[in-house]
Each structure stands twice: as C-alpha cells, then as structure tokens.
Amino acid sequence: MTEIKDPENTIIMETTQGQVVIQLLPDLAPGHVARIKELCAEGAYDGVVFHRVINDFMAQTGDVQYGKKGSESFNPARAGMGGSSKPDLKAEFSNASHVRGTCSMARSQMPNSANSQFFICFADSPWLNKQYSVWGQVISGMENVDKIKRGEPVKDPDSIVSMKLAANA
C-alpha cells in the first residue's frame, strides 16, 4: 500500500477493478478539490459507473445524477449527461500537464460547466492542457484503472464502489 502523507488531501477510491489512490491538488484547483471532497463526504460517487472509457485516452465517471447504480434516477442510456444538484464550477485551468494518471474535471463546451464528472488519463493527453481543471493525480492503483472496461457507452460498466477522503476511510 502506498504511504499516504496527507490524508486530508488524498482520496481512496475502491472500484470494481480494485483500489485507486488519488493525491488531491488543492493549490491547482481549490474549488474543484472542495467539490470532490464534498461529494465524497456525501457518498455521492459510491455506485457511479465509468460510462465513457476510451482506449489510450481516459476513463470518465462521476455522473451522480444518471450514472449511480441503485438510485431512482439511474439510467445507463443517459449516464454522462448529468451532474449533481450543486452549481457548476468556475474553471480553474492551470499549467499542469494531462499525463498518465491525471484526474481532471469533465465539462461541456462551456469552460465554467464542470460539476461532478471527472476523468482519469490512461496516457499523456497534451491537447487537454490549459482547457480542463486538473484536480488530482493517481499515486497508486493505476493498474486497476487500466482494467476498467472500455466503450462509449460501456456495456456492463465498471463502477466506483466507494470514494472517500483517506482521513475518513
């Protein structure tokens, strides 16, 4: 197991493929990190599917509205079209590069439209730099991210079993 140096800024995400540990980057994206922590504390991400997973690019999840298995609003056909009941976030673009293991917020064409959805890069994706808000970096378990089933949409998708701040795990 990876040594967790800052449990208040580390996420432990249990997926159907295994554990993934993410170091939060509050200096880069304080608003986005606060939102991720808030949704984790509420258990909002627990049961949410990876609805869009593209080989050699990224795995996207975080639709707590339509992508949460077992919820009344779960709709596999609409997973990826929703967010949370919270307001959209103001973009926090930075000079951080989208490299393997980068965690960044998904959004529409509007820069200030990120809400709850996020993606984890499988590979370096420099065309995303300075256009998406980077909020974290996988520090262990990337091999488990690599195992997530691919597709757009994914048939019988993998999901987040639980996602918690290490300090609360």
Side-chain angles (χ1 to χ4, degrees):
M1 172 121 170
T2 300
E3 182 188 348
I4 295 174
K5 294 177 174 65
D6 183 1
E8 289 295 333
N9 284 301
T10 307
I11 295 287
I12 298 176
M13 179 171 66
E14 295 291 343
T15 75
T16 46
Q17 292 294 344
Q19 187 179 84
V20 179
V21 180
I22 301 167
Q23 182 66 54
L24 298 172
L25 303 170
D27 293 346
L28 284 185
H32 289 73
V33 166
R35 172 65 55 84
I36 295 289
K37 286 181 173 183
E38 182 181 15
L39 291 169
C40 285
E42 295 171 2
Y45 287 122
D46 301 358
V48 175
V49 299
F50 286 88
H51 64 270
R52 182 172 177 245
V53 185
I54 303 170
N55 240 1
D56 300 320
F57 180 31
M58 58 90 215
Q60 187 170 330
T61 185
D63 182 347
V64 301
Q65 183 177 6
Y66 300 119
K68 188 176 175 96
K69 284 197 221 171
S71 72
E72 284 183 26
S73 60
F74 177 59
N75 182 340
R78 296 199 68 195
M81 296 179 191
S84 72
S85 59
K86 300 173 188 326
D88 288 347
L89 295 163
K90 185 172 183 341
E92 294 177 304
F93 302 155
S94 68
N95 289 325
S97 294
H98 283 77
V99 297
R100 179 171 164 76
T102 296
C103 301
S104 195
M105 289 305 264
R107 62 172 179 79
S108 72
Q109 300 289 38
M110 304 297 296
N112 298 320
S113 63
N115 188 292
S116 65
Q117 290 190 47
F118 65 91
F119 59 90
I120 303 171
C121 293
F122 289 126
D124 294 0
S125 305
W127 62 91
L128 301 176
N129 294 349
K130 298 182 184 175
Q131 296 186 60
Y132 290 83
S133 299
V134 173
W135 58 265
Q137 180 68 38
V138 173
I139 57 173
S140 84
M142 196 60 204
E143 69 279 3
N144 295 323
V145 177
D146 289 336
K147 295 180 207 168
I148 293 170
K149 289 184 206 109
R150 308 304 202 257
E152 284 186 272
V154 183
K155 289 182 175 69
D156 186 30
D158 286 301
S159 61
I160 298 169
V161 176
S162 72
M163 189 163 151
K164 296 180 174 31
L165 205 55
N168 302 333

